[in-house]
Amino acid sequence: MFLNETILNRLMKQAYKSGLAVARTEEDWIYISGNYWEVNIKKDFIPKKTMGNLISLIGELPGKGERIRASKDGNQVEVGMTMKVCEEPQSGERRLTKTNVLLIGEKGVEQGILQDGSTGEIYIINNAFIKIVDNSPVDQDKGETLAEEPVLQPKRRAVLWKNNVCKLRAWLRTDGQNRKILEQLEGLDLTPEVPE
């Protein structure tokens, strides 16, 4: 799993306050989502600590083909709702590059900037989603591949990171407070230099 366990645990706890959605597919993928993010992880690749944190929040995993919404008020079965991160290609998709530029947005949210290297367009996202992507715990001995560069999904206003056992989608942010700064940064090459 290419997700930083500490950050994922924090996101799950935060989402639990208003309702953490958890589902389990027939193929044994676990779907977890908050208000502005969603994750799919093949069950066998979820670290024990992360699974323990999830179960401590929701009580027990849903059965195959089931979805629940868990909160401090209890668990509620949800029918006909999303059970997995949709990764089907959309028109206008393109690869983005992580930059080293951070902006503090409204309510003090640390925002990272992703950039389309071919057009110079920039996109802001909660920096937690840039920091959560970590290829160091990827278990290549078990056949797991490294996470790919993020893909912009313009119709969903989201960014998708994925490998063969895990998928993360997070929604883009808007930032009226830093609008002028963002306009100035648009078109500049913000991507980090790659050492030779």
Side-chain angles (χ1 to χ4, degrees), residues 137-148:
V138 166
D139 192 347
Q140 292 180 302
D141 292 338
K142 286 176 62 178
E144 184 176 2
T145 60
L146 298 176
E148 299 173 359

Side-chain angles (χ1 to χ4, degrees), residues 110-165:
E110 190 177 90
Q111 303 172 127
I113 295 182
L114 299 170
Q115 185 169 42
D116 180 334
S118 61
T119 65
E121 290 177 86
I122 59 176
Y123 303 89
I124 55 175
I125 194 163
N126 186 316
N127 201 48
F129 299 112
I130 291 175
K131 294 192 303 191
I132 198 173
V133 176
D134 179 7
N135 274 318
S136 62
V138 166
D139 192 347
Q140 292 180 302
D141 292 338
K142 286 176 62 178
E144 184 176 2
T145 60
L146 298 176
E148 299 173 359
E149 288 291 314
V151 173
L152 172 69
Q153 295 184 318
K155 288 183 181 174
R156 290 188 173 91
R157 289 223 13 95
V159 177
L160 174 71
W161 288 263
K162 69 176 183 171
N163 71 1
N164 60 327
V165 301

Side-chain angles (χ1 to χ4, degrees), residues 176-195:
Q177 177 178 308
N178 291 307
R179 184 179 46 79
K180 288 184 180 180
I181 294 170
L182 292 166
E183 286 172 1
Q184 294 295 317
L185 293 174
E186 190 88 33
L188 298 176
D189 183 2
L190 305 175
T191 57
E193 270 189 42
V194 178

